[in-house]
Amino acid sequence: MANTESWLWRTVNNDTGEARRFYSDGAALVATGTLAPRGFWQAHPLVQSVREVETGAGEVSVRIFLAVLDAPDAHDTAKPDRPADLRFSGEWKTDAGFWAAHPWVEHLEARQLVGDEPEGDCWTVALWLKAV
């Protein structure tokens, strides 16, 4: 999952010195995977905006710009007895709480894969959506 796209560290809390990684255009996360249902990203309370680019074969690359940086903790949920509705992956890291904060998400499974160097770090997430 090597990506040559540039990114930078930005201090997000001057009191604590906390810094976060952002892409050069300000996106906090780039997720590649399943094309989400209409309104999915707009319904996410932590997302300010997204830019979606279809990559072919029903997949999309989504550049996610956050409205809120801190995600709540992800609570344990029961895995539904069906395949995941959406699957995404990306580089660096993701927070399970970000995905769990979405009101349409019933259950999620997030995996963080850590390499020897930060450039090798990546993640995957599978989402089960609530029945509507």
Side-chain angles (χ1 to χ4, degrees):
M1 187 173 292
N3 186 343
T4 58
E5 185 173 356
S6 64
W7 51 269
L8 52 96
W9 290 100
R10 186 180 306 155
T11 301
V12 295
N13 185 326
N14 289 326
D15 294 335
T16 65
E18 178 186 1
R20 298 216 182 167
R21 184 178 184 236
F22 291 86
Y23 291 91
S24 59
D25 64 356
L29 189 65
V30 176
T32 302
T34 316
L35 184 61
R38 178 181 294 278
F40 179 81
W41 296 110
Q42 293 79 6
H44 198 303
L46 305 181
V47 171
Q48 177 181 343
S49 64
V50 298
R51 282 200 313 251
E52 292 181 283
V53 176
E54 289 193 37
T55 59
E59 288 200 340
V60 66
S61 177
V62 183
R63 302 186 74 76
I64 302 169
F65 300 84
L66 297 178
V68 178
L69 292 178
D70 293 322
D73 291 334
H75 299 289
D76 289 335
T77 55
K79 181 179 176 181
D81 189 24
R82 64 179 193 279
D85 297 299
L86 301 172
R87 292 185 182 276
F88 295 103
S89 63
E91 64 176 1
W92 186 237
K93 69 176 192 161
T94 191
D95 182 355
F98 167 78
W99 302 99
H102 196 297
W104 298 4
V105 171
E106 177 180 355
H107 178 74
L108 69 94
E109 291 180 354
R111 290 185 54 217
Q112 183 69 48
L113 308 167
V114 181
D116 292 335
E117 299 292 327
E119 290 78 19
D121 295 352
C122 58
W123 56 268
T124 62
V125 66
L127 304 175
W128 284 259
L129 302 182
K130 296 174 182 174
V132 224

